Amino acid sequence: MALRSSQGPAVKSYGAVDREVLALPPDVDEERGATGAGAAGDEGAGFTGTVANIMKICVGTGVLALPYAFARGGLAFSVAVLVAIALWNQLSVQWLLRSEEAVKEKLARAGEGERRKLEGVGMYSKIAYVALGTGGIQLIDGMLVVTIYGVCVAYMIFCAQLLGDSPMSLGRLMNTEDEFYTHLFNCLACTVAVTPPSLYRDVSFLVPYSKAGLGVLGFVLACMFYMGFSQGGDRNVPLDAHTLLPTSFNDFAAYFGVAVFCFGGTPLMFPVKDGMRRSMQHRFKDANCAALMGAALLYAIVGCGLGYIFQEKGGVPQNVLQSLPPTTELAGGDLRTLLATCMRLGYLAVTLLSFPLTFVALAGMVEDRVSAGSSEPAGHFIQRELIRLLLLAAVALFAILIPEFGLVVSLLGCFSVTILSFALPPFFLMRICNEYTYKLSIAATGGLIVCVCTTIQTGAAVVEKLLHRA
């Protein structure tokens, strides 16, 4: 759900869908924590539950691009940078928590009119407002739109690839071997499949299917290790500088973007924290650190393990599931055939059912922005459906033109996720608390420089792919 302050900009709010995904109790409000009976009973997630909630935010489909990223970045270098990114993320969370305390103090001293302007606005956007005014909310709003749109495109590419390697591929059914048309038909089929639920105002009925995604992902990763070892292949790939280190800045940028994307949950930390028991909230930083280290360990195992296994077999694709031969090319009747088919079709179903949950957040923000300058009331049926159909068409078009799952994930990580998770937190703290320390200045400036350099590199790769397709 998107809410609009009296200043005009639309901002992402954490509504019922986000609350169910994060397993937040119903009596926990994002801004006030536990209320009513919940406050008296100190209800909410404990330390372990909070760690699990943070890991649920971090771990997702982007993990399947990590083997490709590790192969590009070098196995040893990738592990070292992965730990550095996790630590940087932890620092960003600490800076945001300090900014939160300062913002609450400032708003408590502000007038009633000032507080009303920010009713229904998430804490991250409140921090941005205190730091930069209305422009800060617009900045956060824009970065969220870019990020969610990019995630939708990545989902669409991923689904089309899964469908293309399955017995249900439309390219195979239409007897075409042209890769472009095969991908085109499969993207269109996936778009048609997700359109009806994406037009619903309330898609919370899909939340249980989305929650199954982590279980399916675990099953897929376990099967990938099994099938990678069981297939055999060339076992003579040396662990030399080419394998352990990146060979160019292009390789580094490709790795960095995917790795940062996989730690992109920083903007969602506030509802997780407020869903924690009040008596435990002083340990939120410890819970966040434990979750980040757990995610980093999982990423290192998946990235190094599958990255090395499938690098031995001639290269790692951007979606590691494409390392397996298409189902119709596997020897029939054996366990590997069954596993490959189950992985592709199972993950395809879960991703198609999860897509509307992400898409409606994007649609809600755009709808609020459009309705701000329209005579139609917010949520008008015809306007809403038209906007959503146009957004679906925009997602499908980009997915058709750039069928590069890892490249899209990397571009998002280098650009919007780096800005939201790493560049803005130290900058906001400096602005709000007038704390212009050397450490914060280096963090903010370094985050911005890394963002610009890696975004230019990955953006150039996107343009190159577009020109090649043209």
Side-chain angles (χ1 to χ4, degrees), residues 288-334:
N288 186 73
C289 183
L292 293 177
M293 291 300 106
L297 177 61
L298 173 64
Y299 296 161
I301 292 172
V302 172
C304 284
L306 295 181
Y308 183 74
I309 289 171
F310 289 104
Q311 193 173 31
E312 293 176 326
K313 296 173 172 57
V316 185
Q318 296 180 25
N319 170 8
V320 73
L321 283 176
Q322 291 193 301
S323 296
L324 304 175
T327 301
T328 55
E329 297 181 12
L330 286 170
D334 61 6

Side-chain angles (χ1 to χ4, degrees), residues 123-374:
M123 178 51 69
Y124 200 151
S125 293
K126 286 183 178 179
I127 291 172
Y129 177 80
V130 173
L132 298 174
T134 303
I137 296 183
Q138 293 173 337
L139 173 63
I140 299 299
D141 194 28
M143 289 298 101
L144 285 172
V145 168
V146 170
T147 302
I148 299 171
Y149 173 77
V151 170
C152 289
V153 171
Y155 270 174
M156 190 63 67
I157 296 171
F158 183 72
C159 289
Q161 290 175 343
L162 290 179
L163 184 60
D165 289 336
S166 75
M168 300 170 62
S169 171
L170 291 191
R172 187 173 297 111
L173 295 176
M174 293 184 175
N175 199 27
T176 177
E177 296 183 0
D178 186 281
E179 290 186 6
F180 174 79
Y181 286 106
T182 297
H183 182 70
L184 170 65
F185 294 145
N186 290 326
C187 267
L188 293 177
C190 292
T191 302
V192 170
V194 300
T195 296
S198 296
L199 297 180
Y200 278 51
R201 176 185 289 274
D202 180 11
V203 293
S204 58
F205 65 94
L206 293 175
V207 169
Y209 302 102
S210 178
K211 288 182 178 180
L214 277 180
V216 174
L217 177 61
F219 169 75
V220 166
L221 292 176
C223 290
M224 288 300 297
F225 275 101
Y226 166 76
M227 298 181 77
F229 283 117
S230 66
Q231 281 183 15
D234 179 13
R235 297 293 175 180
N236 298 315
V237 175
L239 290 175
D240 55 13
H242 179 77
T243 308
L244 299 176
L245 302 173
T247 57
S248 65
F249 183 74
N250 185 34
D251 286 338
F252 167 76
Y255 161 76
F256 177 80
V258 174
V260 168
F261 180 86
C262 290
F263 284 105
T266 302
L268 298 174
M269 56 163 282
F270 293 109
V272 179
K273 169 180 168 288
D274 292 328
M276 197 175 186
R277 294 174 191 163
R278 283 197 169 185
S279 61
M280 300 288 291
Q281 286 188 8
H282 67 284
R283 297 193 62 194
F284 178 77
K285 288 189 289 187
D286 296 333
N288 186 73
C289 183
L292 293 177
M293 291 300 106
L297 177 61
L298 173 64
Y299 296 161
I301 292 172
V302 172
C304 284
L306 295 181
Y308 183 74
I309 289 171
F310 289 104
Q311 193 173 31
E312 293 176 326
K313 296 173 172 57
V316 185
Q318 296 180 25
N319 170 8
V320 73
L321 283 176
Q322 291 193 301
S323 296
L324 304 175
T327 301
T328 55
E329 297 181 12
L330 286 170
D334 61 6
L335 179 59
R336 291 186 294 117
T337 303
L338 178 62
L339 286 177
T341 303
C342 289
M343 282 192 293
R344 289 187 173 111
L345 296 182
Y347 216 150
L348 175 62
V350 168
T351 307
L352 288 176
L353 290 169
S354 300
F355 178 92
L357 291 170
T358 304
F359 177 79
V360 294
L362 170 66
M365 297 179 74
V366 175
E367 288 160 16
D368 251 22
R369 175 66 64 181
V370 172
S371 66
S374 171

Side-chain angles (χ1 to χ4, degrees), residues 106-122:
K106 288 179 181 289
L107 292 179
R109 296 193 301 267
E112 184 66 23
E114 188 73 11
R115 288 196 293 270
R116 282 183 179 177
K117 291 179 183 178
L118 299 177
E119 285 182 358
V121 175

Side-chain angles (χ1 to χ4, degrees), residues 1 12-20:
M1 179 179 64
K12 171 86 164 56
S13 177
Y14 303 98
V17 172
D18 305 275
R19 188 173 302 282
E20 292 187 44

